[in-house]
Amino acid sequence: MRIGIMTSGGDGPGLNAVIRGAVRRGTRAHQSEFAGIRDGWRGLLEDDVTPLTTYDVRGLSGRGGTILGTSRAHPYSGGGPARMREVLRARGIDAVIAIGGEGTLAGAARLADDEGLPVVGVPKTIDNDLDGTDYTFGFDTAAAIATESIDRLRTTAESHHRCMVVEVMGRHVGWIALHAGMAAGAHAVLLPEFPVSYDRIHRWVRSARARGRAPIVVVAEGFVPEDRVEAVAAKGEAPDGRPRLGGIADELAPLIEEATGIETRSTVLGHLQRGGSPTAYDRVLSTRLGMAAADIAVERAWGQMASLDGTDIVRVRMADAVDKLKRVPQSRWDEMQILLG
Ligand code: F6P
């Protein structure tokens, strides 16, 4: 069997390890051949495909980014499924492994279930917001980078007796903010799922200062402040029309300074959280998911994706996984409260 593999949507640490895992497993266990599809669905629509051997994937488990490139191209643009079918036939590709987040997997599910295309999936997002899998690879690395950054900001905040507001990624959900905030001992944690008043934020900051601490506020980019209906998107729109979230930390810092009298500075971590080497946890998870995806493809179980259930790699229908977001549950928010302020 000849298997095409692609990475689509925002990149994340671990994509290369998935590619390596799939190619190694497919080649060694199933005598499959692989083709690399460049820049997500764009490569399949524009016939931008390259052979991919075990030689090409050597040493990849610790490398950040994706050797195949990625894009947010829509699968139903530029000829859509009919064009893809043509390219697959011309290239002799029998199966496609699509590695991506909610948007990619929703597209992949539709192509498999409605159009009958031979597509399977691997879930990816640093936000960890995909249902149908306990964790997505990339999240552990992003949370580790955010934690280390907060640790570093804390020492300079303590030296200057300042408050620091740290903005992390998290478009619809606050998993990175919650985990980095808990790991780094933040005094306020602000998530998209749980609205919090300015007054509450200021009380957390004052109470941390009253105990002699340099207050640390961790805010997810998707947090919606009480005087807004939408998340702050200070950087315009992406080419696909989505607002580029970001800027909430810069909005909050002067308000905190004014209300508390504590000098307050903001830092936006942005794409630092998506770049560089994956953690050991993410390398292992990515490799296992890649190997499982090769098995799913060889079994022609179209519409299925590899996913994590506890410590086991299992299979779920992509259509079920993209049904709803995996939000931070109330119990995790309640648990965090005793650590704040
Ligand atoms: O979904 C992952 C993510 O990193 C979000 O947290 C963020 O809002 C978005 O991607 C940013 O995407 P881009 O790099 O295309 O601006």
Side-chain angles (χ1 to χ4, degrees):
M1 176 183 264
R2 190 165 160 80
I3 302 173
I5 185 160
M6 68 158 75
T7 52
S8 171
D11 73 342
L15 284 169
N16 282 324
V18 177
I19 297 168
R20 173 177 169 272
V23 172
R24 289 286 285 265
R25 172 86 186 159
T27 308
R28 290 186 164 185
H30 305 297
Q31 291 73 48
S32 304
E33 287 179 6
F34 281 81
I37 299 165
R38 290 202 183 92
D39 298 340
W41 302 117
R42 187 200 66 76
L44 204 48
L45 293 164
E46 296 180 11
D47 192 16
D48 193 355
V49 176
T50 180
L52 200 59
T53 65
T54 50
Y55 183 80
D56 299 311
V57 300
R58 71 200 191 285
L60 275 193
S61 59
R63 197 186 311 167
T66 160
I67 59 162
L68 296 175
T70 186
S71 75
R72 296 195 190 273
H74 198 280
Y76 281 77
S77 63
R83 172 69 184 143
M84 287 181 190
R85 207 170 272 116
E86 251 174 47
V87 173
L88 292 178
R89 196 176 307 120
R91 292 281 181 174
I93 297 174
D94 309 293
V96 174
I97 298 175
I99 313 167
E102 208 266 337
T104 301
L105 296 179
R110 202 170 145 198
L111 291 172
D113 298 345
D114 301 350
E115 316 288 348
L117 282 171
V119 185
V120 304
V122 176
K124 169 251 38 161
T125 158
I126 65 159
D127 289 2
N128 197 38
D129 61 0
L130 261 168
D131 210 34
T133 185
D134 283 353
Y135 283 97
T136 42
F137 68 85
F139 166 67
D140 185 63
T141 307
I145 292 167
T147 301
E148 198 207 324
S149 306
I150 298 166
D151 288 347
R152 288 175 184 276
L153 288 166
R154 182 193 291 283
T155 63
T156 168
E158 282 170 350
S159 307
H160 289 268
H161 318 290
R162 286 173 175 156
C163 168
M164 287 286 179
V165 184
V166 189
E167 180 177 313
V168 299
M169 280 186 166
R171 202 173 181 84
H172 306 292
V173 304
W175 287 105
I176 298 175
L178 181 79
H179 277 221
M182 185 179 263
H187 304 105
V189 168
L190 308 174
L191 315 181
E193 295 92 330
F194 300 98
V196 163
S197 69
Y198 288 123
D199 187 51
R200 186 79 193 91
I201 300 169
H202 301 153
R203 277 191 280 128
W204 276 325
V205 167
R206 282 197 204 95
S207 123
R209 166 51 64 90
R211 292 185 295 108
R213 308 305 309 279
I216 303 286
V217 177
V218 179
V219 58
E221 61 180 359
F223 172 73
V224 184
E226 61 183 359
D227 55 355
R228 280 180 171 270
V229 284
E230 292 181 330
V232 179
K235 292 163 191 154
E237 276 189 359
D240 63 3
R242 291 196 320 169
R244 291 194 178 116
L245 296 194
I248 176 67
D250 298 338
E251 281 207 9
L252 287 178
L255 297 176
I256 293 172
E257 183 166 307
E258 198 189 315
T260 64
I262 303 167
E263 187 188 359
T264 303
R265 305 291 283 268
S266 58
T267 302
V268 180
L269 297 184
H271 292 88
L272 282 173
Q273 297 157 94
R274 293 215 317 239
S277 291
T279 57
Y281 177 88
D282 275 339
R283 295 181 200 195
V284 171
L285 177 57
S286 305
T287 304
R288 294 179 73 203
L289 289 172
M291 293 194 295
D295 292 345
I296 297 173
V298 167
E299 287 173 35
R300 299 176 188 271
W302 315 135
Q304 304 271 320
M305 70 176 199
S307 92
L308 182 69
D309 179 7
T311 55
D312 296 332
I313 302 293
V314 298
R315 292 174 190 191
V316 299
R317 278 187 68 232
M318 287 190 280
D320 294 339
V322 297
D323 244 9
K324 61 177 174 24
L325 287 172
K326 187 173 65 208
R327 297 194 161 83
V328 172
Q330 184 73 43
S331 58
R332 292 295 305 272
W333 177 242
D334 292 345
E335 178 189 72
M336 187 73 203
Q337 298 310 303
I338 200 78
L339 301 171
L340 302 178

